[in-house]
Amino acid sequence: MADLKERCREVVSSAINKFASDSGLEVSVTPDSLVLETPPKPELGDVGIPMFPFAKVLRMGPPVIAQKIVELLKDVPEALEVGEFLAVGPYVNIKLNKSVAISTILNKIESEGNVYGSFDENGKKALEGRRVMVEFSSPNTNKPLHLGHLRNDALGESVSRILKAAGADVYKVNIINNRGVHICKSMLA
C-alpha cells in the first residue's frame, strides 16, 4: 500500500507541474513535498492531497486547482492504474485501486518468501538489539485449566515467535498465578 501511495504522490506532483507549465508559471513540485491525509469519510476516498500550498503560486483557489488537476489526470494511464481521482473541495482525493495494491503485496511476499516483513527500509530487523519479555499462560494453580488457557498459550507463543522474527531477544515468562479473591478468603478463614 505504501508503494501505491508513493505513486499517488508522483502522479499528482507531475500533474501539478504540467498544469503550472501550461499556465506559463515556473513551479517545481516534488513528490516528497505533497502531504497525504486520510479523508474524514471512507466514501471520499482513501487518500487526500490538499491543494492549499499551491494557491499562492498558481494564483487561484485550492478548489479550482483540485478540479483542474483531476481533469488533467483523467487521461493519464499511470493515474488510472493508481485509482480514481476526485476533486473534493480543496483536496485531490484518491480511491486507491485495491487490486493493484493486493497484487503488489502478494508479489512481494512471493519474491521474499519467509523473510517478508522482517526487515525495514535500511535492511535491518525492526527490533534488532531490543529485549522483550512476554508473559503468557499463567494459570491459577487452585482452579482447573480450561480452553482459555490453551488460547493464551497459543497467543503468547505466536507473539513470541513474531517478535523473535523481527529481531528481538525474547524472554518467555510463565508466572504461577495463585492470587485472587478465593486465596484471600481462604487465608482469612
Side-chain angles (χ1 to χ4, degrees), residues 60-134:
M60 56 180 62
V64 177
I65 297 170
Q67 189 65 42
K68 299 284 186 185
I69 297 302
V70 169
E71 288 174 16
L72 278 174
L73 291 172
K74 287 189 180 191
D75 301 328
V76 178
E78 293 86 20
L80 297 173
E81 191 177 302
V82 169
E84 180 185 355
F85 288 80
L86 312 163
V88 181
Y91 291 87
V92 173
N93 286 1
I94 304 116
K95 289 185 179 180
L96 297 175
N97 188 344
K98 305 293 193 290
S99 63
V100 171
I102 290 168
S103 66
T104 303
I105 292 170
L106 290 176
N107 289 337
K108 207 175 223 184
I109 291 171
E110 184 179 19
S111 67
E112 293 182 21
N114 291 338
V115 296
Y116 173 75
S118 297
F119 300 97
D120 62 7
E121 308 82 46
N122 302 327
K124 75 175 224 178
K125 293 195 173 207
L127 298 176
E128 194 170 339
R130 294 184 66 186
R131 292 191 288 174
V132 179
M133 182 181 80
V134 179

Side-chain angles (χ1 to χ4, degrees), residues 10-11 23 32 38 49 62 67 71 75 77 89 97 121 124 127 129 135-136 142 146 157 168 175:
E10 292 168 3
V11 167
S23 301
D32 296 336
T38 304
I49 301 175
Q67 189 65 42
E71 288 174 16
D75 301 328
N97 188 344
E121 308 82 46
K124 75 175 224 178
L127 298 176
E135 177 189 341
F136 62 99
N142 297 319
H146 53 79
E157 187 62 33
I175 296 176

Side-chain angles (χ1 to χ4, degrees), residues 134-136 151-161 172:
V134 179
E135 177 189 341
F136 62 99
R151 179 197 68 134
N152 290 346
D153 283 340
L155 285 173
E157 187 62 33
S158 298
V159 168
S160 298
R161 290 180 184 191
K172 300 179 207 174

